[in-house]
Amino acid sequence: MSAESEGRLSRENAGDLTFSEQYNGPDPLLDAARALSHENGLASVSQTTASTLTLLARLLRPVAAVEVGTGAGTSTLALLRGMPNAGILTSIDTNSTAQAAARDLIDMAGIRHSRLRLMSGRAEDVLQRLAPGAYDMVFVDSEPTNLERMIEPALRLLDTHGLLVIHQTLLKGGVADPVDRSPRTQAARGLLNRLAGQERLERVLLPIGQGLLMLQKTLR
């Protein structure tokens, strides 16, 4: 592909992303949470990613779900909006201050306090303490360099038809760019390559936000 063609494709993709964000919004609560995240140097999911998480939760109807990476609560709110009214989300983060902001966001959204269980600690440690096979959905939003050691603990939590959704797997074109060899891009690229060879997992990679990878255990 010529440099001119690559440049045109890049502009088209950027236009599609901008249009999608506008089409899938606005959302005052999530916009406020993103602004708070930016002020505190925290990452947050895009509007399109949030809308996708809500739709997935509505389709899957998880009674119990887990989130790794509470942040200021953008993905937390997105998941709870899609889950059944009786559904409980367990959200894990090391930043208790950000978790407090997420709790405030959920309260402002009018979601029952008891539907969100916040747990503070390293994700790898907390995931090991949760009951195996007891969850319908797990969403992991963590730095790519940390993802590898979370996959097995997260899969362990899922029931037979459970869904694992992993954010930050494409890094806005970084993974697809062979010139980009930064540690986080190398980590995401390596993870995708290793998971592609596992027959025990069904997988779908979507170019949404920073990239969403969905995994489900193969039923045989």
Side-chain angles (χ1 to χ4, degrees):
M1 182 181 293
S2 67
E4 181 181 352
S5 297
E6 288 181 351
R8 184 174 63 253
L9 183 59
S10 178
R11 289 191 298 274
E12 290 173 352
N13 288 343
D16 287 345
L17 290 173
T18 300
F19 183 85
S20 297
E21 286 292 291
Q22 294 171 347
Y23 185 82
N24 291 323
D27 190 312
L29 276 177
L30 288 180
D31 289 344
R34 285 192 197 91
L36 180 62
S37 298
H38 181 72
E39 290 171 9
N40 290 278
L42 300 171
S44 60
V45 300
S46 69
Q47 180 59 44
T48 301
T49 302
S51 298
T52 302
L53 291 174
T54 299
L55 180 60
L56 285 173
R58 282 185 183 140
L59 293 172
L60 194 61
R61 299 189 58 78
V63 174
V66 174
E67 174 188 44
V68 173
T70 313
T74 50
S75 54
T76 310
L77 177 57
L79 289 165
L80 283 169
R81 279 174 166 173
M83 293 171 66
N85 288 333
I88 296 175
L89 176 64
T90 298
S91 188
I92 305 165
D93 207 306
T94 56
N95 190 332
S96 57
T97 301
Q99 285 191 321
R103 173 68 74 185
D104 291 341
L105 178 67
I106 300 309
D107 288 343
M108 284 189 290
I111 294 173
R112 197 170 66 253
H113 198 271
S114 59
R115 292 189 56 205
L116 176 61
R117 178 172 66 151
L118 293 172
M119 299 184 72
S120 180
R122 291 192 339 134
E124 307 96 293
D125 300 330
V126 178
L127 289 173
Q128 294 289 355
R129 301 204 303 266
L130 300 179
Y135 297 87
D136 310 297
M137 184 176 183
V138 177
F139 174 63
V140 177
D141 188 6
S142 181
E143 271 297 303
T145 51
N146 299 327
L147 285 175
E148 185 73 50
R149 57 182 178 267
M150 296 184 195
I151 299 298
E152 289 305 322
L155 288 171
R156 166 185 164 273
L157 300 182
L158 293 173
D159 63 13
T160 305
H161 299 281
L163 184 67
L164 172 57
V165 182
I166 307 172
H167 191 222
Q168 299 195 66
T169 48
L170 287 174
L171 303 178
K172 291 187 175 179
V175 170
D177 181 1
V179 177
D180 189 339
R181 303 187 66 81
S182 65
R184 65 198 306 262
T185 301
Q186 291 275 63
R189 193 179 288 135
L191 176 68
L192 290 173
N193 288 337
R194 282 187 287 277
L195 290 173
Q198 296 195 23
E199 294 183 359
R200 67 186 178 118
L201 296 173
E202 301 286 351
R203 66 185 188 282
V204 176
L205 180 60
L206 300 176
I208 294 172
Q210 293 274 354
L212 285 181
L213 175 65
M214 294 186 286
L215 299 173
Q216 193 172 46
K217 297 172 187 176
T218 303
L219 300 178
R220 295 186 184 276

